[in-house]
Amino acid sequence: MKGDWTEAAVEALKPVLDAWKFYGEYGMRVYEYPTVDKITIEFNGSGRWSFSGTLGGFDSWTRS
């Protein structure tokens, strides 16, 4: 995710990253939260057939 991040935007992203934690075998784990000064973070994840498939469902998972 690229852009000019504000402190408020970074803080709003934290609960979204938390919502993407593993549910059973699928999900994503972040090792640190982004900050205004550090917008690149490490993460890993897995999906049923591919991680790209898991990424495709993150928006709906977050909303539910």
Side-chain angles (χ1 to χ4, degrees), residues 25-27 45-51 53-54:
E25 297 180 18
Y26 311 120
S46 66
R48 182 173 179 190
W49 299 110
S50 68
F51 187 57
T54 300

Side-chain angles (χ1 to χ4, degrees), residues 1 13-21 28 30 32-34 41:
M1 296 181 278
L13 181 61
K14 290 179 182 179
V16 174
L17 294 173
D18 289 340
W20 293 350
K21 287 183 181 174
M28 185 175 80
V30 296
E32 59 190 327
Y33 289 116
I41 61 171

